[in-house]
Amino acid sequence: MTIVCSIAQPCPVALFISDLHLSELQPRTTQAFFDFLQQRASQVQELYILGDLFEYWAGDDDLANPYNKSVVDALRLLNDSGVQIFWIAGNRDFLIGAAFAHATGLKLLPDPFIASIGNHRITLTHGDAQCTDDTAYMAFRQQVRQTQWQTTFLLLPLSQRKTIIAGLRNDSRQAKSTKSYDIMDVNAIAIDDLFAATGTAIMIHGHTHRPGRHESVDCDKQRVRYVLPDWDLDTKVSRGGWIAIDTNGAIKRYDIAGHEIP
Ligand code: LP5
Ligand code: MN
């Protein structure tokens, strides 16, 4: 499918996605991702993946796994066609490292990262670090993001790491069932602080699975925060989507069918 651009519908130049949680248990979501790469991302200059592309990532020594290889190959094909791919880690796939970057050709970015696209300076982040009301998660995050902790974990056999991660996923599901909806959203002060620290007026993040566009004003400066949706085409209510910036600098949200969200 070739996207036809016009004055009324300018071409997209950059696309943003996050929270696909890809795994072989999600065949339809995986196919939707491959279709997105082939039909949408192939038409732009830059693709930004803002975390949790994978359900989990146990370490780059899992690159040979046939499912992981199919995702890597699809990203490599896109990269080889001339599309630059940028990556910010999520709370599920922060163990992605240099070997994955090398295999796919994508560029690992720090979180947060300020992207310059057209006339925009945009803060990009996964969004989990701003969920500061979720103190149990913050403590967990602080621990597992330590280099020493990760080095020790990565020395364990791959199968043992996967067993530990399965346990953590269960713990996480259980913990979330006891937390309030509000606690698991980003904290307004953490967002204000990030806007102030980066000096930007636009932010894009994922993680919360609460797609939206939020405007705020600080000392006469208008700020806009875009939240990406998660993807799931393997359950009854299919969902997903992306954000695009076009040649005019317009920032638009799209659902999984490619319809613009007003
Ligand atoms: O991921 P999701 O959407 O279910 O929930 C997140 C937070 N949970 C997590 C945990 C991950 O899901 C587990 C998988 C990680 C795989 C990566 C490899 C890691 C291996 C270690 C590498 C060094 O991120 C969840 C938030 C939710 O988002 C909303 O923001 O609430 O937070 C939690 O559930 C954390 C719990 O509240 C507290 C932790 C319980 C586990 C305790 C085990 C202690 C192990 C010590 C490890 C150092
Ligand atoms: Mn996340």
Side-chain angles (χ1 to χ4, degrees):
M1 185 171 81
T2 309
I3 309 286
V4 182
C5 310
S6 63
I7 293 177
Q9 205 140 42
C11 275
V13 292
L15 298 179
F16 303 82
I17 55 171
S18 73
D19 300 280
L20 283 80
H21 305 132
L22 296 180
S23 87
E24 51 197 330
L25 301 176
Q26 303 277 312
R28 291 197 179 88
T29 309
T30 305
Q31 188 55 52
F33 174 60
F34 290 158
D35 293 346
F36 170 80
L37 293 185
Q38 213 177 38
Q39 296 166 8
R40 305 284 175 174
S42 63
Q43 312 290 312
V44 303
Q45 275 104 64
E46 296 179 343
L47 170 66
Y48 290 85
I49 300 173
L50 302 188
D52 289 355
L53 178 69
F54 291 99
E55 172 68 7
Y56 69 84
W57 190 257
D60 281 1
D61 52 342
D62 207 13
L63 276 167
N65 168 286
Y67 177 83
N68 291 341
K69 189 173 178 320
S70 71
V71 175
V72 166
D73 288 349
L75 289 168
R76 167 51 70 180
L77 198 67
L78 182 72
N79 177 80
D80 288 349
S81 76
V83 179
Q84 277 192 285
I85 312 173
F86 300 95
W87 173 278
I88 285 182
N91 57 298
R92 306 274 195 91
D93 52 17
F94 59 85
L95 290 178
I96 288 275
F100 180 89
H102 181 73
T104 53
L106 60 69
K107 185 171 167 30
L108 303 177
L109 300 177
D111 183 353
F113 178 78
I114 302 170
S116 295
I117 302 171
N119 291 329
H120 294 305
R121 286 177 74 248
I122 307 175
T123 295
L124 304 176
T125 175
H126 179 56
D128 59 320
Q130 285 69 47
C131 296
T132 52
D133 295 329
D134 191 346
T135 50
Y137 173 62
M138 284 292 128
F140 173 77
R141 186 182 196 277
Q142 202 273 331
Q143 200 162 4
V144 298
R145 294 300 181 101
Q146 289 171 24
T147 310
Q148 185 53 53
W149 211 91
Q150 293 181 13
T151 307
T152 308
F153 183 76
L154 288 170
L155 285 172
L156 298 173
L158 181 59
S159 60
Q160 196 180 339
R161 274 177 267 150
K162 287 188 177 180
T163 306
I164 293 172
I165 289 171
L168 289 173
R169 291 289 307 118
N170 268 334
D171 291 344
S172 184
R173 273 187 215 104
Q174 224 164 4
K176 284 195 298 183
S177 70
T178 68
K179 294 178 190 176
S180 76
Y181 186 77
D182 284 351
I183 272 183
M184 289 188 283
D185 201 356
V186 293
N187 172 285
I189 295 168
I191 293 293
D192 282 350
D193 287 350
L194 187 54
F195 269 126
T198 56
T200 61
I202 304 169
M203 186 183 303
I204 303 178
H205 72 82
H207 183 67
T208 60
H209 307 180
R210 302 175 198 195
R213 181 184 183 280
H214 305 274
E215 284 182 24
S216 57
V217 179
D218 180 72
C219 301
D220 290 343
K221 272 185 299 183
Q222 201 193 359
R223 292 166 167 173
V224 189
R225 175 173 67 92
Y226 294 88
V227 188
L228 288 159
D230 65 320
W231 291 37
D232 188 350
L233 290 95
D234 290 273
T235 48
K236 262 191 194 153
V237 188
S238 286
R239 59 180 189 274
W242 60 89
I243 286 173
I245 300 185
D246 69 25
T247 45
N248 289 345
I251 303 176
K252 295 174 180 168
R253 302 192 297 132
Y254 293 88
D255 67 18
I256 194 63
H259 299 130
E260 188 181 341
I261 300 167

